[in-house]
Amino acid sequence: MMGREVKNIVLIGFMGTGKTSVGLRLAQKLGMQFIDTDSMIEDESGMKISEIFAKNGEEYFRDLETNLVRRICKLCNFVIATGGGIVKRAENVDNLRSSGLLIWLDASPEVILCRTSGFNHRPLLQVPDPLGQICKMLKEREEFYSQADHRVDTSNLTVDEVVDKIIDIFKGAMKIGRDPR
Ligand code: S3P
């Protein structure tokens, strides 16, 4: 963190780890603005994510994400919740990192299954064996998520408990980043 500007707080992590709920509450508590990359993509394209995947495929969706990240990394004083696969492109991780503190929200596969089942808006989990898919994707993505500055396991925490942990981390990062002169 040393020497890097903490302009924003960026939440990365797998589907169902609480990025949107935590991000909203965190922004509220810190008096920052909030954006969610999935919602922005839906607003800008006028399509639901599931429709984009079905009509144009995953790579097209990833292009929209990459293009959006190039723009949002210039923002200041935002909590940014990202889509779970945004870290698959190194360019996105670099841009998000340059824009602020990178927090990885994590959870166990069972908790992720529990939080995501009952919803059908995530095309990548609409498979016959969602738990197997979650385990496989978590394994594949761990190396990307672990590039974050901090990891918070949300499995057994409430939204407010996660938020308070991030606020502590954020305050610590601000102290370290402060110019001592
Ligand atoms: C995806 C996660 C989703 C959404 C899309 C793809 C992924 O976002 O971007 O369905 O690849 O992990 P959430 O993590 O907000 O569910």
Side-chain angles (χ1 to χ4, degrees):
M1 250 354 272
M2 208 56 123
R4 236 173 73 211
E5 264 186 290
V6 184
K7 294 186 294 185
N8 304 296
I9 301 176
V10 183
L11 305 180
I12 61 170
F14 204 77
M15 297 169 263
T17 54
K19 299 176 301 276
T20 305
S21 331
V22 167
L24 265 168
R25 185 91 188 94
L26 181 63
Q28 220 174 35
K29 268 200 164 169
L30 289 174
M32 294 167 81
Q33 298 195 69
F34 174 75
I35 52 168
D36 177 282
T37 58
D38 286 340
S39 306
M40 276 190 83
I41 288 173
E42 290 189 336
D43 290 347
E44 289 185 357
S45 67
M47 285 199 277
K48 291 279 165 207
I49 304 253
S50 52
E51 283 179 77
I52 302 176
F53 269 72
K55 279 197 188 138
N56 306 100
E58 178 171 350
E59 276 315 293
Y60 178 83
F61 172 73
R62 299 295 171 206
D63 289 340
L64 296 182
E65 264 185 339
T66 302
N67 183 283
L68 178 62
V69 171
R70 284 180 192 152
R71 290 179 278 139
I72 60 177
C73 68
K74 301 195 176 76
L75 296 171
C76 206
N77 212 31
F78 274 74
V79 174
I80 302 171
T82 60
I86 216 156
V87 293
K88 286 173 75 179
R89 291 198 179 169
E91 178 193 329
N92 295 343
V93 177
D94 290 346
N95 282 334
L96 291 170
R97 174 186 296 291
S98 75
S99 88
L101 187 66
L102 221 51
I103 307 279
W104 169 19
L105 298 189
D106 198 14
S108 70
E110 292 74 20
V111 167
I112 289 172
L113 178 68
C114 187
R115 291 187 189 153
T116 54
S117 61
F119 298 97
N120 61 4
H121 65 281
R122 294 182 175 99
L124 297 175
L125 297 184
Q126 305 311 302
V127 293
D129 173 22
L131 184 60
Q133 172 84 337
I134 290 166
C135 291
K136 179 174 160 273
M137 289 174 74
L138 274 174
K139 229 176 253 159
E140 284 167 2
R141 290 182 179 181
E142 181 162 359
E143 62 172 307
F144 305 124
Y145 295 136
S146 61
Q147 297 173 84
D149 299 300
H150 296 271
R151 169 176 178 253
V152 179
D153 187 341
T154 70
S155 302
N156 300 306
L157 300 178
T158 63
V159 168
D160 277 305
E161 286 168 340
V162 178
V163 166
D164 290 342
K165 272 190 184 253
I166 298 174
I167 290 178
D168 283 346
I169 295 169
F170 180 57
K171 285 187 177 159
M174 296 292 275
K175 246 183 235 158
I176 292 169
R178 205 163 47 204
D179 193 329
R181 281 168 300 175

